[in-house]
Amino acid sequence: MDAEFNGTYITLGGYVGVDKYGYLYFVILLALYLLILCTNLTIIYVICIHRNLHEPMYIFIAALSVNSILFSTTIYPKLFIDVLSQRQIISHSACMFQSFMFYSLTGSDFLLLSAMAYDRYVSICKPLQYPTIMGRITVTVLLALAWFIPALEVAVAIAINSKQKLCDFTTDGIFCNNKLFKLYCVQSTVLNVYGLIFIVNAAVIPVIFILFTYIKIFIITYHSCVEVRKKATETCLPHLMVLIFCLFLSVFDAISARLDSDLLKSVNLIMSLQIVVYGPLFNPILYGVKMKEISKHIKRLLCQTMTKSI
């Protein structure tokens, strides 16, 4: 590539065996993307059409599915193109946009899980005040903040990055994440400090809040009747599992950004795929299986679909 081309485009050098297995990669990725779309759209559809699911907890679950669809649609179409192309490249502006969507939606997931933890706390520990506290306005505000705050914080980081000069034009990833920061000529101290603040705001504080909330829930329900403990376990356990998985994928992202050796290229690719596959796919499958009301409606929907097809 000449200097002018390099000044606009970035090479995604994290692919392994694309020349030999490009069509196989394409089929697998397409199947995964369609599965992600189907599972998440099913969750959204079931929650939208059934009035008994028009409760804050299910609305937040639907919002998580919306995030999964947006996240996947930001990543997968570019993967389709790359595995079928001789050169895996992306424009700098498109790379910045992909990075923006990646981190703003990840931060949004943590805030949505925080809102769900608060909803469960009010529902289980303050049932008489629940309709007043978790009204439509409260839910709308929590949803707006969960999407707006991470987007604003990431937009500031992107604005700072846009002023940096690129000295390298090849990243060892398959999509644009924090590996992009290594391509700049000078590592900005301001950006490093701001990145740390973002991590604290987007992940550390929500996780501490969620753990604190669920600890209080389990302490209170421990001294309650069996029925209350059962309700708390059924509704809180799936959320905790999703939280653990989000943390796991975030750690994966942080670790993969520091794997530079060519010897670890295959490991890097596998870790990157874990991030873009399991996150969007894990949430709807977990909620579809573990949440009794959602599971019941999905089974009914599947039975109706099979009956009509027969």
Side-chain angles (χ1 to χ4, degrees):
M1 296 184 195
D2 57 30
E4 184 178 354
F5 183 81
N6 275 343
T8 306
Y9 289 87
I10 294 170
T11 300
L12 300 170
Y15 289 92
V16 177
V18 173
D19 295 338
K20 293 182 179 180
Y21 308 110
Y23 289 105
L24 177 61
Y25 286 160
F26 177 80
V27 172
I28 294 173
L29 289 171
L30 179 61
L32 288 170
Y33 181 57
L34 292 176
L35 183 60
I36 288 169
L37 290 181
C38 289
T39 52
N40 283 286
L41 286 173
T42 299
I43 294 291
I44 295 170
Y45 174 75
V46 166
I47 291 173
C48 286
I49 65 171
H50 295 288
R51 298 188 67 87
N52 68 318
L53 299 182
H54 293 180
E55 297 178 5
M57 177 177 64
Y58 299 110
I59 292 173
F60 294 137
I61 291 174
L64 282 173
S65 287
V66 170
N67 278 6
S68 294
I69 292 173
L70 292 174
F71 178 88
S72 301
T73 304
T74 303
I75 302 293
Y76 276 84
K78 184 65 176 72
L79 296 180
F80 299 155
I81 296 171
D82 286 339
V83 297
L84 297 178
S85 302
Q86 292 182 344
R87 292 190 302 187
Q88 292 73 43
I89 58 175
I90 186 171
S91 68
H92 183 244
S93 57
C95 194
M96 298 290 276
F97 176 75
Q98 196 177 68
S99 181
F100 166 78
M101 293 296 291
F102 181 91
Y103 288 108
S104 62
L105 290 172
T106 301
S108 176
D109 282 348
F110 280 109
L111 290 183
L112 286 172
L113 289 171
S114 299
M116 293 166 74
Y118 178 68
D119 172 74
R120 290 301 83 205
Y121 171 77
V122 176
S123 174
I124 294 170
C125 302
K126 300 181 179 181
L128 298 179
Q129 298 173 286
Y130 182 79
T132 304
I133 296 175
M134 295 301 296
R136 182 177 297 179
I137 294 177
T138 302
V139 173
T140 303
V141 170
L142 290 175
L143 283 174
L145 291 176
W147 278 314
F148 177 74
I149 292 176
L152 179 61
E153 291 177 337
V154 178
V156 173
I158 295 295
I160 297 172
N161 269 336
S162 64
K163 300 177 182 179
Q164 300 292 318
K165 183 181 178 181
L166 289 169
C167 280
D168 192 0
F169 303 95
T170 301
T171 176
D172 58 354
I174 61 173
F175 58 89
C176 296
N177 56 359
N178 55 16
K179 293 175 183 290
L180 180 63
F181 303 149
K182 296 181 179 180
L183 305 183
Y184 295 109
C185 300
V186 179
Q187 296 297 314
S188 171
T189 304
V190 174
L191 186 61
N192 290 334
V193 172
Y194 185 82
L196 181 61
I197 294 172
F198 172 73
I199 291 173
V200 171
N201 287 339
V204 176
I205 292 177
V207 168
I208 292 173
F209 173 78
I210 292 168
L211 294 178
F212 175 76
T213 302
Y214 282 133
I215 288 171
K216 290 199 69 174
I217 289 173
F218 288 124
I219 289 174
I220 292 173
T221 56
Y222 179 78
H223 301 287
S224 302
C225 63
V226 176
E227 194 66 31
V228 175
R229 288 200 297 271
K230 183 179 178 182
K231 178 185 176 183
T233 303
E234 287 178 352
T235 58
C236 294
L237 187 59
H239 305 329
L240 283 174
M241 292 175 68
V242 171
L243 173 65
I244 292 170
F245 208 76
C246 284
L247 281 172
F248 179 70
L249 293 179
S250 297
V251 172
F252 254 43
D253 177 60
I255 294 174
S256 66
R258 288 159 176 79
L259 296 179
D260 296 322
S261 173
D262 291 337
L263 295 175
L264 296 173
K265 197 170 183 180
S266 298
V267 176
N268 218 335
L269 175 63
I270 293 171
M271 292 179 72
S272 297
L273 289 174
Q274 305 250 356
I275 295 170
V276 300
V277 171
Y278 292 129
L281 198 55
F282 180 79
N283 292 358
I285 291 177
L286 177 65
Y287 286 125
V289 173
K290 291 293 185 180
M291 300 297 289
K292 185 188 298 184
E293 288 298 318
I294 295 178
S295 178
K296 179 179 68 177
H297 289 299
I298 289 177
K299 289 177 182 177
R300 189 176 301 166
L301 178 64
L302 291 174
C303 290
Q304 291 174 353
T305 303
M306 292 176 63
T307 302
K308 289 180 181 179
S309 62
I310 295 173

